[in-house]
Amino acid sequence: MSQGKHLPSILVKHHKNTAGANTVVMPIPDVVEICMSQSIGAPCQPLVAKGDTVKVGQKIGDTDAFVSAPVHSSVSGVVKDIIQVRSSMGGMETHIVIETDKKQEISEEVRPPQVSNHEEFVKAVRECGLVGLGGASFPTSIKLDPKNLDECHVLVVNGAECEPFITGDNRVMVEQGQDVLDGMKLIMDYLNLEKGIIGIEENKPDAIENMRSLITQNGLDNVEVQVLQSRYPKGAERVLVYETTGQVMDAGVLPAQLGVILDNVTTIATLGQYFKTGMPLVQRRITVDGDAVKNPQNVFVPVGTRIADIVEFCGGYVQEPRKIVMGGPMMGRATHSDSTPTVKNTGAILCFGKEAATVKTETACINCGRCHRACPFELMPQLYAEFYDRKDVEGLNKFKVMQCMECGSCSYVCPARRPLAFTNKLAKGMVKEASKK
């Protein structure tokens, strides 16, 4: 791994089309479909039954499993059905279908948490249902309760938002900057952290200016904005830790092991707001963009809203969508249908027409080395493809395929249009399977 000032990175077309527009609020849809699997870890079990009346903020799913987060209703209405749905990953998920009454009555469960120590703070964070909103969906309560808490000293807030198209984090820092700082103060106080760093790419001057102004107004001498290069993937966890603290973070290592607590800026803002209002995570600011959408914009959306309803609110399709991506174009995941409901970590919905969605024909590798030079960790994707084809697990291990974070930089720069990042993913799966034997 490079030890210079910056790790290797690539320049992608930003397409930040919605960065300067204020977030709009979408009307409550007729139906929402709330998934019980909304975090890395165990799925929740429904706490309601068909025919039950629910209110906004009411807990409707939970589990005793350690790695998980509860799920709350984003609307008021009646549970129409509880169904099993096949996910984009091939497994089955439980969805609670709620027919809304448009009243948005607030549940009696919603009240600002009262905490006085770290243990109570972590418990309250879990009750919020908060997960990593940058896309990882790791339960925030677990992240804020590291085993080596006494060794953690720095809070790093990820405001890089390096993926093309997505501008929700930018708008959070412009529109909810105080919530960000309130969330930071809570974490720093209850985890006894000495310093806070907000990492923001230089292509977000309005966010940089607003956060610096608010830091001064709040008199926070121990919080600073660190301006990052506008290059991809500066917002990746391991890259951001290096860029902000200078510490090398290998695969399998957690930020806390390096004395760092790292969270996405929207996650932090949601936490700050939750402690003031008591409203758990029930809505998301989602960037809607792509050449198939009439009016690209950032929209506040109840969790569980179907993509089709969101696109309709944005003016509908201007051409047939050939690919719909939930998340960014580099690391997001395509979905098979616009009936798919949003989940907590849905930060973007990108709808592309025929020309934009067409994958160029793959050709033979010319050994140009661009994939190697683009990799933040100087890995060798062209070798991984060869080893994968030969089922050479020893070779994959020798050249450290497990260090790959699947950022997609290699695929992006490949002149042969080879799906290197996806091959890396398959190769990592091959290594994992071999380790079980």
Side-chain angles (χ1 to χ4, degrees):
M1 184 180 290
S2 295
Q3 295 297 315
K5 186 176 181 181
H6 302 292
L7 296 178
S9 56
I10 61 174
L11 184 63
V12 300
K13 293 180 180 179
H14 297 296
H15 297 294
K16 301 290 188 178
N17 308 315
T18 59
N22 289 330
T23 308
V24 295
V25 180
M26 175 182 169
I28 302 302
D30 294 333
V31 174
V32 297
E33 194 172 312
I34 301 179
C35 179
M36 292 291 98
S37 301
Q38 298 208 44
S39 70
I40 290 178
C44 290
Q45 300 300 315
L47 300 178
V48 293
K50 183 177 179 180
D52 286 354
T53 298
V54 296
K55 296 181 179 180
V56 181
Q58 177 181 336
K59 188 189 295 186
I60 59 174
D62 206 349
T63 174
D64 292 332
F66 176 67
V67 182
S68 190
V71 176
H72 303 80
S73 179
S74 58
V75 295
S76 60
V78 177
V79 177
K80 184 178 180 181
D81 207 352
I82 298 178
I83 59 177
Q84 296 296 308
V85 177
R86 190 168 298 282
S87 73
S88 59
M89 295 297 289
M92 299 302 293
E93 299 174 334
T94 300
H95 287 197
I96 296 178
V97 182
I98 302 174
E99 192 172 74
T100 66
D101 58 16
K102 310 295 178 74
K103 297 178 182 179
Q104 289 303 89
E105 293 185 61
I106 306 299
S107 169
E108 296 76 10
E109 299 173 11
V110 175
R111 52 185 180 274
Q114 302 295 317
V115 302
S116 59
N117 55 50
H118 176 251
E119 183 180 355
E120 292 176 352
F121 174 66
V122 170
K123 184 177 179 180
V125 173
R126 187 187 186 282
E127 286 303 303
C128 177
L130 197 55
V131 300
L133 300 182
S137 71
F138 188 80
T140 304
S141 60
I142 298 176
K143 183 175 287 189
L144 299 183
D145 191 22
K147 295 179 180 179
N148 63 330
L149 179 58
D150 292 342
E151 299 173 5
C152 296
H153 306 289
V154 179
L155 172 63
V156 174
V157 178
N158 187 353
E161 198 166 47
C162 58
E163 278 260 17
F165 291 98
I166 308 179
T167 61
D169 286 348
N170 188 6
R171 297 313 304 173
V172 165
M173 291 182 282
V174 173
E175 299 172 16
Q176 293 180 253
Q178 188 59 53
D179 287 334
V180 175
L181 293 186
D182 289 344
M184 291 183 69
K185 286 187 284 187
L186 284 165
I187 293 172
M188 293 173 71
D189 286 346
Y190 285 106
L191 273 67
N192 196 29
L193 305 179
E194 300 167 3
K195 183 178 182 180
I197 301 172
I198 308 172
I200 310 175
E201 280 194 334
E202 59 192 355
N203 65 349
K204 302 172 181 63
D206 48 354
I208 293 170
E209 180 182 358
N210 190 50
M211 293 313 304
R212 282 179 168 168
S213 175
L214 287 170
I215 287 169
T216 300
Q217 292 175 33
N218 283 263
L220 300 176
D221 297 332
N222 58 345
V223 175
E224 66 178 58
V225 170
Q226 187 162 323
V227 180
L228 310 170
Q229 292 177 317
S230 296
R231 294 178 69 89
Y232 184 82
K234 294 297 179 182
E237 183 177 70
R238 291 158 61 193
V239 175
L240 187 59
V241 167
Y242 183 85
E243 297 283 330
T244 55
T245 71
Q247 298 186 87
V248 174
M249 182 178 161
D250 288 330
V253 174
L254 299 175
Q257 292 174 259
L258 302 178
V260 177
I261 300 295
L262 189 150
D263 250 318
N264 167 266
V265 69
T266 298
T267 307
I268 298 286
T270 303
L271 181 65
Q273 193 174 58
Y274 169 65
F275 269 76
K276 287 178 280 190
T277 67
M279 181 60 69
L281 177 53
V282 295
Q283 69 171 0
R284 267 304 307 261
R285 178 187 278 101
I286 294 178
T287 300
V288 184
D289 207 337
D291 62 351
V293 176
K294 184 176 182 179
N295 299 317
Q297 56 191 313
N298 279 298
V299 187
F300 273 122
V301 173
V303 172
T305 303
R306 292 166 177 166
I307 292 174
D309 292 329
I310 299 171
V311 173
E312 183 180 357
F313 173 72
C314 294
Y317 298 113
V318 294
Q319 60 177 304
E320 180 187 355
R322 292 296 183 90
K323 180 176 285 187
I324 299 177
V325 179
M326 299 180 78
M330 301 296 286
M331 296 186 72
R333 182 174 296 157
T335 183
H336 66 286
S337 169
D338 64 3
S339 65
T340 302
T342 61
V343 290
K344 294 177 182 180
N345 70 334
T346 303
I349 295 170
L350 308 179
C351 306
F352 299 112
K354 181 178 179 179
E355 184 177 351
T358 299
V359 178
K360 295 181 180 179
T361 303
E362 179 184 346
T363 58
C365 174
I366 60 174
N367 292 313
C368 64
R370 292 185 189 179
C371 56
H372 169 64
R373 293 192 297 273
C375 179
F377 309 120
E378 298 178 347
L379 303 177
M380 304 184 75
Q382 78 277 21
L383 278 182
Y384 300 151
E386 294 177 17
F387 292 142
Y388 176 73
D389 288 340
R390 298 201 305 256
K391 295 182 170 52
D392 185 353
V393 174
E394 183 179 346
L396 291 170
N397 278 320
K398 180 179 179 180
F399 287 89
K400 301 180 180 179
V401 70
M402 299 306 291
Q403 290 286 341
C404 173
M405 63 180 183
E406 303 165 30
C407 67
S409 295
C410 53
S411 298
Y412 186 85
V413 302
C414 178
R417 312 311 302 166
R418 304 178 76 202
L420 295 169
F422 185 66
T423 303
N424 291 355
K425 183 181 182 70
L426 295 175
K428 289 167 66 177
M430 180 184 290
V431 170
K432 291 176 183 177
E433 284 299 315
S435 67
K436 297 177 181 178
K437 297 179 180 178

